[in-house]
Amino acid sequence: MLKPDAIQRAIAAEILARFERRGLRFAALRMLTVDPTMAAKHYAVHKGKFFYDDLVKTITASPVIAAVLEGPNAIAVVRSMVGGTRPHEAAEGSIRGDYALVGLRNLVHASDAPETAEAEIKLWFPEGIISYIRDIDRWMSEDKAPS
Ligand code: CDP
Ligand code: MG
């Protein structure tokens, strides 16, 4: 999910382009304003933490872009492209390491495991995602030589 700061700073398309260029395939894309109920569901795992209220306020403040990205090792690839939670510790070359300064303005939310990805996809895309293959996918996704 591109958080409100990504859109307000007009770098949303640039961030999405990084994922696309890496080889990941969009399986769903949606722009919306998050209401507090959805924010509470999305961030349920953080309830009770010191930053929880700020997190909910921040993600509901302005529209976001939710996306589902598919590809081999998509979760690990996206997490590594996004970089560490605290931007001042995020690797240079990562999205947070290149574009962000502080934790509440770290631009992107990325699912951290298959289980959270599944729950988050259901939450943000109740109508489902779109399954398709691009012709170029075999040039990026096939990890074996043709027999
Ligand atoms: O987003 P990520 O998975 O890297 O971090 P998280 O531990 O799941 O925390 C969710 C979000 O809460 C972060 O992306 C930050 O925006 C915020 N956060 C914060 O502001 N201060 C912290 N010490 C930890 C998290
Ligand atoms: Mg997280």
Side-chain angles (χ1 to χ4, degrees):
M1 175 176 283
L2 303 189
K3 299 185 190 183
D5 47 327
I7 291 145
Q8 287 290 338
R9 290 178 53 195
I11 53 174
E14 199 171 317
I15 294 171
L16 288 176
R18 284 191 174 206
F19 296 124
E20 190 181 39
R21 213 179 295 129
R22 180 74 185 260
L24 296 166
R25 178 175 68 228
F26 293 111
L29 204 54
R30 176 184 177 205
M31 186 174 197
L32 72 154
T33 302
V34 179
D35 66 31
T37 307
M38 290 293 272
K41 284 186 187 165
H42 179 73
Y43 281 134
V45 55
H46 295 302
K47 193 157 174 61
K49 296 186 184 163
F50 71 92
F51 55 86
Y52 176 79
D53 288 344
D54 284 343
L55 210 45
V56 170
K57 274 185 206 151
T58 304
I59 204 161
T60 54
S62 180
V64 303
I65 293 174
V68 179
L69 294 164
E70 279 182 345
N73 307 302
I75 293 171
V77 167
V78 169
R79 295 279 299 180
S80 134
M81 288 178 73
V82 167
T85 306
R86 288 143 51 105
H88 65 285
E89 293 168 351
E92 298 242 348
S94 68
I95 292 162
R96 289 167 173 169
D98 283 352
Y99 297 103
L101 293 171
V102 296
L104 263 188
R105 302 292 189 202
N106 63 5
L107 297 167
V108 183
H109 164 84
S111 306
D112 58 10
E115 300 73 33
T116 47
E118 198 184 337
E120 288 168 7
I121 291 168
K122 280 196 185 127
L123 180 64
W124 298 112
F125 298 95
E127 70 284 14
I129 61 171
I130 300 176
S131 287
Y132 66 104
I133 301 284
R134 302 169 299 186
D135 289 346
I136 57 165
D137 279 328
R138 67 194 182 96
W139 295 102
M140 295 184 290
S141 299
E142 282 179 11
D143 208 12
K144 266 196 205 137
S147 49

